[in-house]
Amino acid sequence: PARRPADLVIFGGTGDLAMRKLIPALYHCDRDGLLPSGTRVIAMSRSGLGDADYRDKVRAEVSVPGATPDDWRRFLTRLHHVSVDISAGVSAGGTNAGTGWDHLTALLTGGEERDRVFYLASPPMTFGPFCRGLGAAGLVTPASRVVLEKPLGRDLASAQRINDEVGEIFSESQIFRIDHYLGKETVQNLLVLRFANAFLEPIWNSLWIDHVQITVAETVGTPGRRGYYDHAGALRDMVQNHLLQLLCLVAMEPPSRNDREAIRDEKVKVLQALRPISGTEADRFTVRGQYTAGHVGGCAVPGYLDEPGSTPPTEASGRVETFAAIRAEVKNWRWAGVPFYLRTGKRMPFRHSEIVVRFKDVPHSIFPGGSPNRLVLRLQPSEGIELHLMAKEPGAGEVALRPVPLSLSFGQAFQGRVPEAYERLLMDVLTGNPTLFMRRDEVEAAWQWIDPILATWETAGTPPEPYPAGTAGPDGARELLGRSGRTWHEEE
Ligand code: BG6
């Protein structure tokens, strides 16, 4: 639990992220007794709501399975809402009366002393202005922290600019750059699996591993998100952060300590060792797709360009990718020659995130029909680990082999509810532990690798390859592996 009460101020407090993830996560933290009494959640938005309206809105829109009325009642009293025209307030110099900043200042500075956490769940271009506003209003103390949602910028230059702007007000140790994938239980378990068990390390290298697949497939589309998604796309929205972080955890060297800097140092080295992909190589090693109308889970769904939304499609909509696949390589002693296939897409036929480590075949087989071992780390929908081993099919005839999974389901092995990633990460912010957050050099190294791919895609004369919703991405994704005789895990 956090030791001292805090004020958690959420910019974008009525937004999608706050309502879908942050508020439910905070509810659970409260119910589990992790929030000291006196801790308040202050949502900021332009909506004009008062505290009571905001509490009603949360009660009506946020659903938490198993929540009891008593828990809700207690949690709702922690919620406050400050209505603010944030941009006007900032340009006017912070605390001007009537802008809402004055209200926030009064709320934060009166009464008992609390830690302050400012959570920027708003578009990245607002990060600099908001931080300046907080600085101008005198609301940042040495004990304050700021949380920055991803994607941080839209390329290396904008990420550096934002980091500089935020850095004028907050020191690096006060800045928590969130990537919620790092809060998922299986993702943290990956470090334990690798570094608390002896048997994997000797075979965790190019001598024994043929390739690695990292897939984050979603069935959801992008309804109502065009304004954001047209300018993001799968590469910025998912690959630059979530998929590269997963790659880092698979590929990093053992850190000498379980310590914030030691772990992040090793991750940065992986990002720096990624082989750059640009120009004609981007055509060979990357695939981008956009979904067209199709069926997901038996329901007809529109294509990306026909998704309902507040803004009509533009030229940018036609060029944006909702699917990306990349053949990456980590150029170091351990991984030389081992492809890391990264893949993510919206409106895929299944929702699953998984890391598949495909081992090499046995050097000499005395049985017909074997297939190489696979280690599958399932991040969602159900978290677990499977090791696919070859076994003999029971029977008296010819020896026949079949892969059988040795399976660990976290749900079964560990009783109780598995906390959501945001619960863990919010508590880490409140207790001041930055280990699972990205350091500036990590974010920038990731952009450095992504930038040339983006540049090639953005200057390409062709739109992304279409794929019908409910299929596993465009044909190019299959070819990306097929060229070297490999297949995606679900097709094996
Ligand atoms: C977010 C992306 O970071 O992650 C979304 O912006 C995506 O586009 C989401 O849907 C996926 O998160 P999860 O935890 O549901 O896999």
Side-chain angles (χ1 to χ4, degrees):
R3 287 187 314 277
R4 283 158 46 98
D7 280 327
L8 175 63
V9 183
I10 304 177
F11 289 79
T14 52
D16 183 61
L17 180 74
M19 301 307 261
R20 268 191 326 115
K21 300 280 192 187
L22 303 181
I23 296 292
L26 288 162
Y27 168 87
H28 278 119
C29 295
D30 186 31
R31 201 195 53 186
D32 294 348
L34 302 175
L35 301 182
S37 78
T39 290
R40 300 184 296 186
V41 177
I42 301 168
M44 311 267 293
S45 80
R46 297 179 213 242
S47 63
L49 301 175
D51 288 353
D53 309 320
Y54 185 68
R55 291 171 188 173
D56 289 346
K57 181 178 169 65
V58 166
R59 195 69 188 89
E61 291 178 21
V62 176
S63 85
V64 183
T68 66
D70 277 352
D71 291 338
W72 262 119
R73 246 190 310 278
R74 192 188 54 238
F75 175 65
L76 289 176
T77 60
R78 295 185 184 276
L79 303 186
H80 299 264
H81 183 272
V82 173
S83 206
V84 65
D85 182 353
I86 294 163
S87 47
V90 171
S91 54
T95 53
N96 289 21
T99 58
W101 285 87
D102 52 338
H103 182 180
L104 178 67
T105 306
L107 203 57
L108 292 185
T109 49
E112 87 185 280
E113 200 171 312
R114 301 174 169 91
D115 286 349
R116 282 181 204 154
V117 173
F118 302 102
Y119 195 122
L120 306 189
S122 49
M125 67 269 198
T126 62
F127 294 175
F130 285 173
C131 289
R132 267 200 303 280
L134 291 168
L139 295 175
V140 179
T141 65
S144 303
R145 282 157 229 146
V146 65
V147 185
L148 309 180
E149 257 300 333
K150 49 114 322 224
L152 200 127
R154 43 182 295 104
D155 51 20
L156 177 60
S158 55
Q160 285 170 329
R161 197 168 52 246
I162 293 168
N163 279 327
D164 286 345
E165 288 170 355
V166 176
E168 283 169 21
I169 307 297
F170 293 92
S171 67
E172 181 63 25
S173 64
Q174 295 175 290
I175 304 174
F176 287 63
R177 298 177 189 83
I178 205 162
D179 181 323
H180 78 278
Y181 268 57
L182 294 177
K184 291 184 188 267
E185 279 293 326
T186 325
V187 176
Q188 292 168 56
N189 235 312
L190 186 52
L191 288 183
V192 176
L193 181 76
R194 284 197 57 201
F195 303 132
N197 293 291
F199 74 101
L200 276 178
E201 180 56 20
I203 56 171
W204 206 253
N205 56 52
S206 63
L207 292 180
W208 294 93
I209 292 178
D210 178 75
H211 72 275
V212 177
Q213 298 180 13
I214 300 178
T215 297
V216 178
E218 298 181 278
T219 50
V220 292
T222 55
R225 289 182 87 194
R226 173 165 299 124
Y228 161 70
Y229 207 84
D230 270 3
H231 301 283
L235 196 60
R236 290 188 176 97
D237 185 46
M238 301 292 286
V239 180
Q240 189 272 344
N241 32 77
H242 305 326
L243 277 88
L244 282 183
Q245 285 293 320
L246 297 179
L247 182 151
C248 284
L249 297 177
V250 173
M252 69 196 259
E253 294 301 315
S256 56
R257 297 178 308 281
N258 181 17
D259 145 320
R260 56 186 71 168
E261 302 311 335
I263 290 178
R264 298 191 291 182
D265 286 347
E266 295 306 335
K267 289 199 293 169
V268 175
K269 287 186 208 158
V270 174
L271 293 167
Q272 288 168 342
L274 284 171
R275 183 170 184 273
I277 299 179
S278 62
T280 53
E281 294 217 316
D283 297 335
R284 274 182 48 220
F285 296 143
T286 72
V287 177
R288 60 204 170 102
Q290 187 184 89
Y291 62 85
T292 54
H295 287 81
V296 179
C299 298
V301 293
Y304 178 72
L305 297 178
D306 298 315
E307 285 287 13
S310 45
T311 49
T314 61
E315 207 219 330
S317 320
R319 299 181 59 79
V320 80
E321 77 288 351
T322 59
F323 174 98
I326 303 178
R327 180 190 186 282
E329 253 182 75
V330 180
K331 300 275 283 177
N332 64 16
W333 190 294
R334 185 189 287 267
W335 295 114
V338 177
F340 283 74
Y341 295 103
L342 311 178
R343 170 177 64 155
T344 184
K346 304 278 186 214
R347 291 286 191 225
M348 306 272 283
F350 36 79
R351 174 178 189 247
H352 75 209
S353 301
E354 64 178 22
I355 300 170
V356 179
V357 178
R358 172 72 141 61
F359 289 91
K360 290 190 172 165
D361 217 339
V362 291
H364 169 69
S365 176
I366 58 171
F367 303 111
S371 64
N373 299 130
R374 269 169 287 151
L375 179 69
V376 181
L377 302 147
R378 274 187 283 109
L379 312 184
Q380 52 200 27
S382 53
E383 305 193 302
I385 297 175
E386 280 165 20
L387 180 60
H388 292 251
L389 302 171
M390 292 313 296
K392 178 185 171 301
E393 288 241 32
E398 286 259 311
V399 174
L401 304 189
R402 188 152 52 101
V404 283
L406 200 61
S407 185
L408 166 68
S409 149
F410 286 120
Q412 283 167 10
F414 303 101
Q415 299 301 316
R417 192 181 64 87
V418 177
E420 283 283 327
Y422 274 100
E423 294 171 40
R424 163 70 200 247
L425 296 173
L426 281 164
M427 287 315 299
D428 281 355
V429 178
L430 290 171
T431 53
N433 177 2
T435 311
L436 296 178
F437 294 79
M438 292 181 290
R439 223 166 47 189
R440 176 175 183 155
D441 52 352
E442 262 180 273
V443 175
E444 294 184 2
W447 278 121
Q448 190 141 19
W449 185 71
I450 291 287
D451 264 9
I453 302 176
L454 274 176
T456 313
W457 286 5
E458 285 176 355
T459 53
T462 50
E465 273 182 71
Y467 62 98
T471 62
D475 293 341
R478 200 165 296 119
E479 286 156 25
L480 187 70
L481 275 73
R483 261 182 263 146
S484 44
R486 300 180 173 112
T487 46
W488 291 105
H489 174 49
E490 73 276 1
E491 292 170 355
E492 287 197 66

